[in-house]
Structure formats: structure tokens, C-alpha cells
Amino acid sequence: MQFKFSAISLSHKTAPVQIRELIALDDQSIHSILIKLKEFFSLQDALILSTCNRTEVYYSHELDLSSEIIKLIGLEKGIPEVTDYLEYFELYKNDQDSVSHLFRVAVGLEAQVVGDIQIANQVKRAYQTSVDLDMAGPFLHRLMHTVFFTNKRVVQETAFRDGAASLSYATIELMESLTSNTYQPRILLIGLGEIGEDVAKNMVYLPDAKVKISNRTQEKAEIIAAELGFEVVPFDQLDQAMNEADVIVSSIHRNDPFITKELISRFKIQSYKLLIDLSVPRSIETTVEEVPGVILYNVDNIRSKASEALDKRLASIPDVEKLISESIDEFYNWKKEMMVSPTINKLKQSLEQIRLEEMSRFLKNASEDEVAIIDKITKSMMQKILKVPVIQLKNACKRDEAEEMIEIISDLFDLDKIKSDK
């Protein structure tokens, strides 16, 4: 029976955040499930991708293992009734759908923010885990390298990754551009709601910055700070931190401004102070810009930039899908040729066995020089005999007639009695 490449997916398109959090897998859980898949089902190709927006398992096997894999996830996560969550999983049960979905995920077409640059690195890490556990065979190796090459083409040949298409990315991009000439810019993030937390997590793209965070609920700030390596400022001790900061990002919810012109006027501003207001309603008085050295951006300014970038990305989707289609066609041409490789190897073995038997039979009394000449001649003859059936097999692949040609050549040369090399 021929193996199939299948996938199971739980994502932001199929499940709310509380379900995604419940099913999400950390590195240790991914390792554990991959090892179980190898031991229980002898899988040679398996890849697990788990992010804040999706948990997916890709695998090659003769059978549909989706139910068993979901149960393994439930076992690993301590969810005895994991089958109650089956409705949130999307199942891809054939090669074409699974391969296409992996390509779309890896380039960012299926991301919550279209063109998300993080997903490509997350897919690479997932693949490296499979490689480390010896769970990436020739099929998955070739598939993943085709995916990575396609990603490069998307970056080089389309506008799909141009600009920051989410509010948090646009905020990071703004900070990066305005602090480019500042050595280790000091950044203070106030408020860790949904947007604030997202900005905090994306500050990893500002590796030289010194980041401090603050939140009304200090426990949440401490959890995020521990994960990202940031410093926590108690919410009731912000004045000093705001005075020292080069950049203040405010993402807190209140009815009246939290940062006022009067407050900022008391600070000693050496060269500039960048204020970014991500709150609605606004938490920074617009008059702060009247203070020398103060630069203010609000959520509308940043959203405008993000929307412009998103429009460009959306307009580029047909170009991206065209590149994906080309790559999938190329991958399937390789896959079809892989299908005929065992037959080609068997044919080579059969002809080589005949050649060696006949040489042994007729060259018992020949000299070393004579044996060498005959060996060279017969090898050349064998290569010429092989050429036509090999070409016919490869052409049959392109016509989707490989199975019929394999059967004809196998019958013609009685290849079923020969075991193919592994």
C-alpha cells in the first residue's frame, strides 16, 4: 500500500483562543508526541507545528491516523475527553491538500496577519526538530526544502512581505526606524492587554534595546518579563522609568489621558522622547508634542501604515499563489520520479546479475587484461540497454502513467523476484 501525506490542523480559523491555548504544545510535548508516533506507528516523516495561532501535525503513512494523533495530543496535555474537541480540527487526508496547506501556512497566506514573517522561522524550527529526532525521510526533506526555496522567491519576487501589516509589527518598525541612531535605546511599555502583549513579544526584533514593561496587574508583567528577558517596573513607580526612557509605548485603557503635557514637561529630555499611543480612547495628551524634543504617534498613524502594507500584501496574493503552484508542480514531478526509482534499481540489479553470471561463465580462462576489456564493454552495453526503459519510465511519470509502465517493465524483466535496495 502506498503512503499518503496527511495533516491535522487546529487554527485561529477553526478554534477560539481558549481552545488553541488548551491544545498548544510546548517543545517537550512535541518531542514526546513525535517519539510516540515513531514507536507506535513506525513513522519516518512527521512534523509538528505549534504556535499561538495553530497546532498542526503533518505525517506520511498508509493509514489515516488523525484520530490516533488527536488522542496522543490529549494524552500529552492531560485532556481525557480530547475527542470532544474534534470539531475544531481540520483534516487533510490526501497529498495534494496537505502539501498545499503546508505551503500556504509556511509563506503566511493562512496567518492571522497575512504574510506574517514569524511563521517561516517557526516552520523551520519544527522541521529541525523532526530532523533531530530522525523523523524526516527523503519525502519530507525534499518537501521542506522546496517550501523554504519558495519562501525566498516570495520575498524576492513579490511585495507580499513588504512593510509591517499588523499594528504591533508597525509599532516595532516605527521604533526601529526612529531609534536607529541611538545606542541601546531605552523602551518602556505600559499596559499588557492584547495589543500591549503582542508588542512586547515582537520586541525580540529589537535585540539592542533595553526594554522595561509595566502593567496594573504586576503578576502578568512578571510572567511576560521572565519569558522575554525584560525588566518589570511597578505600575505605581512609573515616573522615574518614563523620565529615563527614550521611547514610551502606552497601551492602557482609561477614560482620561494617563500621560499629560504637564507630566512630560517635568522630564529632562536630552535629545528626543518618542511617545507611541496605542490606546483607544487615547491615553496620551496630544499637546505633549508642544514639549521640545517630544515626538508623538497615535494608533491611527500606525494603523494607516499597517493598512497600506496589508493592502499591498493582499494585492500580491495571486503572485504568491502562482509561485506556490509552480513549486508544488516541481515537487510532484520529483515525487513521481521517486515512485519509479525502485523499479529502475531492480532493473539495474537484474541486468547486472545477468552480466556477472555470463562473465563468470565465459571468462574462466581469460587473462586480467581480457577480463577488464570485457567488463568495460558489457557495462557500456548494459547502460545503453537501461537507457530506453529508464527514459520511458520518467516520461510515463510526466503523463501520470507510471504505474502502468512499472507493471509492463516488471513483467517484461520479471522484476518481482528481486528485492529493491533500501
Side-chain angles (χ1 to χ4, degrees):
M1 189 182 293
Q2 189 179 359
F3 75 82
K4 297 177 293 184
F5 186 64
S6 307
I8 65 171
S9 170
L10 181 144
S11 74
H12 63 95
K13 291 189 173 182
T14 63
V17 64
Q18 59 267 31
I19 301 298
R20 301 201 303 273
E21 289 174 343
L22 185 69
I23 300 297
L25 301 168
D26 58 20
D27 290 346
Q28 186 177 344
S29 297
I30 289 172
H31 275 71
S32 176
I33 292 172
L34 283 172
I35 289 169
K36 287 183 175 71
L37 288 172
K38 188 175 185 178
E39 291 176 350
F40 297 169
F41 304 107
S42 301
L43 287 186
Q44 291 184 334
D45 285 318
L47 181 143
I48 298 178
L49 174 66
S50 192
T51 72
C52 58
N53 284 325
R54 66 183 62 251
T55 295
E56 300 185 330
V57 183
Y58 299 85
Y59 66 95
S60 296
H61 200 269
E62 297 92 341
L63 304 174
D64 173 13
L65 301 178
S66 53
S67 295
E68 286 78 3
I69 291 172
I70 292 170
K71 288 175 184 174
L72 274 178
I73 292 174
L75 185 66
E76 188 64 34
K77 297 287 292 183
I79 309 170
E81 303 300 328
V82 71
T83 50
D84 291 346
Y85 301 98
L86 285 176
E87 63 182 287
Y88 298 108
F89 286 89
E90 198 166 2
L91 307 181
Y92 298 88
K93 296 187 177 183
N94 63 61
D95 278 28
Q96 286 81 3
D97 290 344
S98 303
V99 167
S100 176
H101 181 68
L102 176 57
F103 270 91
R104 292 181 65 84
V105 167
V107 302
L109 282 174
E110 298 296 320
Q112 201 162 31
V113 177
V114 176
D116 185 351
I117 59 173
Q118 289 188 90
I119 190 65
N121 291 327
Q122 290 164 339
V123 170
K124 283 183 179 179
R125 287 197 296 272
Y127 169 60
Q128 187 59 53
T129 299
S130 296
V131 171
D132 292 343
L133 295 176
D134 196 25
M135 295 199 66
F139 178 90
L140 190 59
H141 277 305
R142 180 71 179 227
L143 175 59
M144 297 310 298
H145 284 285
T146 306
V147 167
F148 301 148
F149 179 70
T150 306
N151 242 324
K152 285 185 180 178
R153 289 191 66 192
V154 167
V155 173
Q156 294 168 356
E157 300 176 29
T158 75
F160 190 61
R161 293 272 171 74
D162 292 355
S166 75
L167 185 64
S168 62
Y169 287 164
T171 302
I172 300 301
E173 191 178 73
L174 175 65
M175 286 191 283
E176 185 176 31
S177 64
L178 293 179
T179 63
S180 59
N181 294 322
T182 303
Y183 175 68
Q184 293 186 333
R186 297 163 296 182
I187 298 174
L188 173 64
L189 171 62
I190 306 170
L192 295 168
E194 185 177 349
I195 294 173
E197 183 176 351
D198 201 26
V199 170
K201 289 180 178 177
N202 284 297
M203 281 187 185
V204 294
Y205 294 108
L206 301 171
D208 296 328
K210 289 186 174 181
V211 180
K212 296 181 181 181
I213 61 176
S214 185
N215 193 55
R216 283 194 185 94
T217 306
Q218 183 154 329
E219 184 182 1
K220 182 173 184 179
E222 288 172 347
I223 291 170
I224 293 173
E227 179 186 346
L228 301 173
F230 298 157
E231 182 182 337
V232 175
V233 177
F235 198 76
D236 57 2
Q237 299 175 25
L238 277 171
D239 280 16
Q240 182 63 29
M242 285 194 282
N243 186 24
E244 294 172 352
D246 299 307
V247 180
I248 300 172
V249 182
S250 180
S251 181
I252 60 175
H253 297 287
R254 52 184 290 163
N255 294 325
D256 54 318
F258 177 68
I259 299 175
T260 63
K261 177 184 175 183
E262 190 275 330
L263 173 66
I264 296 297
S265 298
R266 299 202 305 262
F267 297 155
K268 188 176 181 181
I269 300 174
Q270 299 286 354
S271 57
Y272 74 92
K273 193 176 288 287
L274 171 62
L275 303 182
I276 301 175
D277 190 351
L278 300 180
S279 307
V280 178
R282 286 177 288 189
S283 60
I284 302 177
E285 277 186 348
T286 56
T287 53
V288 296
E289 281 195 296
E290 296 172 7
V291 178
V294 171
I295 307 165
L296 173 65
Y297 281 83
N298 63 38
V299 69
D300 290 337
N301 304 142
I302 299 169
R303 275 213 176 106
S304 176
K305 285 184 65 178
S307 297
E308 186 180 335
L310 183 58
D311 288 344
K312 286 182 180 179
R313 291 187 181 189
L314 293 174
S316 299
I317 286 177
D319 297 330
V320 175
E321 290 178 330
K322 183 173 181 288
L323 290 179
I324 289 176
S325 179
E326 290 173 5
S327 294
I328 290 176
D329 287 345
E330 178 192 333
F331 174 73
Y332 272 101
N333 286 336
W334 171 84
K335 183 175 180 287
K336 289 170 183 176
E337 290 195 12
M338 283 291 290
M339 182 180 173
V340 301
S341 291
T343 301
I344 293 172
N345 288 335
K346 284 183 179 181
L347 184 55
K348 286 180 179 178
Q349 290 176 51
S350 176
L351 294 178
E352 177 65 5
Q353 185 178 343
I354 293 170
R355 188 183 76 83
L356 293 175
E357 285 174 356
E358 294 305 298
M359 283 188 64
S360 175
R361 179 180 171 191
F362 290 106
L363 298 179
K364 291 177 181 177
N365 299 319
S367 67
E368 285 187 12
D369 289 344
E370 290 171 332
V371 170
I373 292 170
I374 300 300
D375 182 63
K376 186 176 180 180
I377 292 170
T378 53
K379 279 183 178 176
S380 178
M381 290 174 63
M382 190 180 85
Q383 290 300 322
K384 289 184 177 178
I385 292 169
L386 271 170
K387 187 175 180 180
V388 172
V390 167
I391 290 173
Q392 290 298 327
L393 277 167
K394 290 185 175 180
N395 287 339
C397 285
K398 295 175 182 177
R399 301 191 304 268
D400 288 326
E401 297 172 357
E403 289 185 8
E404 293 89 334
M405 187 60 67
I406 287 171
E407 189 175 344
I408 291 169
I409 290 177
S410 295
D411 287 345
L412 187 62
F413 292 94
D414 195 18
L415 300 182
D416 289 336
K417 66 182 179 181
I418 298 172
K419 290 184 179 180
S420 180
D421 290 338
K422 290 185 179 180

